[in-house]
Amino acid sequence: MEPEATKYQSVDKPSEEVLFKERKSKFYGYTFPIDSEEAVKPILEELRKRHPSANHVCYAWQLGVSDIRYRANDDGEPNNSAGMPIYGQIQSFDVTNILVAVVRIFGGTKLGVGGLISAYRETAKMALENSLIMEKVLTQQLILVFEYSEMDSVMRFIKKHQLDIVDQKLHLDCEVVLKVQKDMVPDILKQLKAFHKISIKIPE
């Protein structure tokens, strides 16, 4: 069995708008980092508000590293003339956890299916070229639950392993949420087992 991938490439932040023109039709391209399918709809709604005269807001997204999910949407353009050419560029640039959207404002001249495929592909390519693509690391959250008296030991362990604290509740019963690089999780769990007064929860 192959080891699970723990690194991936994605955009760091939404890209600047790019514009591709083809026979008076305007194609505006964008990329957005996403971490869930639910993040897609509000972004598309915002793009429709930004371009009230747009005829089509076509897009493709991909999520996941080992277990990949994706969707391509033509938004009323001829079947597979927009969403799939956009998705092809996501594959070409080898990025994931990303939404690429292309807004079309019709210029009065029909482009034909071949012309549409070419225009959507080119706009998606320009948007990705205009994006800051970075290598990212998959992480896993761990929740440590312990009594206040164990605080020093826990904080020393966190500092020693340079772990990121996402959240903490420090009362008589303490809870610290850590973000751990996924490939380090087995080793961190193994070491934490030596601390008998600390219980560990792994969120779903």
Side-chain angles (χ1 to χ4, degrees):
M1 201 169 106
E2 286 187 20
E4 188 184 354
T6 56
K7 292 184 179 172
Y8 64 97
Q9 292 197 118
S10 189
V11 290
D12 194 44
K13 60 185 180 191
S15 66
E16 298 289 323
E17 178 181 281
V18 298
L19 172 60
F20 177 74
K21 293 180 185 173
E22 183 65 40
R23 281 183 273 175
K24 295 185 181 173
S25 271
K26 290 178 180 174
F27 295 84
Y28 295 92
Y30 305 87
T31 67
F32 301 89
I34 56 168
D35 53 18
S36 70
E37 190 176 338
E38 290 70 38
V40 173
K41 193 179 172 190
I43 294 170
L44 297 175
E45 285 170 355
E46 190 55 44
L47 288 176
R48 287 183 203 281
K49 278 187 208 160
R50 196 184 299 186
H51 299 279
S53 60
N55 305 84
H56 309 276
V57 179
C58 305
Y59 64 90
W61 56 259
Q62 179 171 295
L63 285 163
V65 178
S66 301
D67 180 20
I68 284 172
R69 290 178 293 133
Y70 75 92
R71 183 161 298 161
N73 189 302
D74 298 311
D75 193 32
E77 293 282 32
N79 207 18
N80 292 331
S81 66
M84 284 313 286
I86 295 169
Y87 184 59
Q89 291 305 305
I90 290 177
Q91 291 177 303
S92 202
F93 279 76
D94 192 23
V95 284
T96 194
N97 290 14
I98 187 171
L99 165 68
V100 181
V102 177
V103 177
R104 181 191 181 193
I105 296 173
F106 184 54
T109 306
K110 290 194 172 180
L111 302 182
V113 171
L116 288 172
I117 289 171
S118 173
Y120 279 104
R121 184 174 57 222
E122 185 57 33
T123 310
K125 181 173 178 246
M126 285 167 60
L128 282 157
E129 285 173 345
N130 196 42
S131 303
L132 178 62
I133 295 173
M134 299 179 71
E135 186 174 84
K136 299 194 173 192
V137 178
L138 283 181
T139 58
Q140 165 79 58
Q141 285 196 354
L142 300 178
I143 302 168
L144 309 187
V145 183
F146 51 93
E147 289 182 3
Y148 195 80
S149 57
E150 296 300 305
M151 176 66 70
D152 281 354
S153 306
V154 171
M155 289 304 171
R156 272 202 303 274
F157 182 86
I158 289 169
K159 192 174 178 185
K160 180 184 170 187
H161 294 280
Q162 298 179 319
L163 303 175
D164 291 329
I165 297 174
V166 178
D167 193 17
Q168 53 187 3
K169 297 182 184 104
L170 308 178
H171 307 293
L172 282 173
D173 291 319
C174 301
E175 197 175 281
V176 173
V177 183
L178 299 176
K179 186 167 74 174
V180 181
Q181 199 170 306
K182 207 158 188 181
D183 54 358
M184 289 171 59
V185 169
D187 184 48
I188 293 295
L189 287 174
K190 192 174 164 188
Q191 292 192 51
L192 281 168
K193 277 183 182 153
F195 296 86
H196 302 298
K197 292 183 179 175
I198 300 171
S199 61
I200 305 146
K201 292 192 269 188
I202 300 176
E204 287 300 315

